[in-house]
Amino acid sequence: MADIERIRGLIRAIPDFPKPGIIFQDIFPIFQDPIAVESLITHLVYHITSTINEKIDVVIGLDARGFLLGPVIALRLGAAFAPIRKKGKLPGEIVSVEYAKEYGVDTFEMEKDAMKPGQNVIVIDDLIATGGSAAAAGILVNSFGAKVLKYLFVIELIELKGADVLNAPLYSVLKY
Ligand SMILES: O=P(O)(O)OC[C@H]1O[C@H](OP(=O)(O)OP(=O)(O)O)[C@H](O)[C@@H]1O
Ligand SMILES: Nc1ncnc2[nH]cnc12
């Protein structure tokens, strides 16, 4: 638990960013502390391996802050990593979905060969607020015929009830 409190102490709350009324939870200071990063990754990997019995084929990270965690977790699990990117960043054939999040609307995209039907997936991001971004990721995964086993976050803004719009269980390290 001391490890989790160390991580909590590094998260910086910035009022009125990127819009008035939003309290932005900034996870980047965690990455100034390698011991905190190691604790965070170990905590998440322990949670995944102790609660999911099925083989995880693909770890999906959400653009952009999900990319800080997803590839490292995939490496530890011996799984593939696939990115979900914002509109216009991926080459070749893509699948896309529009969605709304706490402070705006956006489009997520994946490369058409990022997954195969029947694969098991976990989705990782820094934070869940309304759940719009994570739910859109779930829609993309399902469009491949793959299945989300779990969504993982560093931070959950519980008042915004993001868990209610997801099609699989959620785990968050810190609840605000
Ligand atoms: O639960 P929601 O209401 O959908 O909000 C959560 C999303 O918002 C933030 O991403 P943002 O789109 O700001 O992208 P960034 O990581 O590129 O800053 C955050 O990293 C989540 O992806
Ligand atoms: N309050 C918040 N802080 C950081 N990222 C967010 N994404 C959506 N809401 C957010």
Side-chain angles (χ1 to χ4, degrees), residues 4 7 38-48 171 173:
I4 300 302
I7 294 162
E38 178 64 47
S39 297
L40 178 59
I41 297 295
T42 300
H43 180 91
L44 284 165
V45 170
Y46 177 76
H47 176 83
I48 293 161
Y171 175 72
V173 179

Side-chain angles (χ1 to χ4, degrees), residues 138-160:
I139 289 167
L140 282 180
V141 170
N142 287 349
S143 77
F144 285 82
K147 182 182 172 195
V148 180
L149 299 179
K150 192 167 266 195
Y151 294 86
L152 297 123
F153 305 93
V154 181
I155 300 170
E156 178 181 4
L157 304 183
I158 43 179
E159 277 185 13
L160 295 176

Side-chain angles (χ1 to χ4, degrees), residues 17 22-26 65 101-103 126-130 157 160:
F17 182 88
I22 303 289
I23 301 171
F24 189 85
Q25 304 293 343
D26 180 15
R65 284 169 273 156
K101 58 185 171 182
E102 190 186 12
Y103 40 68
D126 65 323
L127 180 144
I128 180 164
T130 64
L157 304 183
L160 295 176

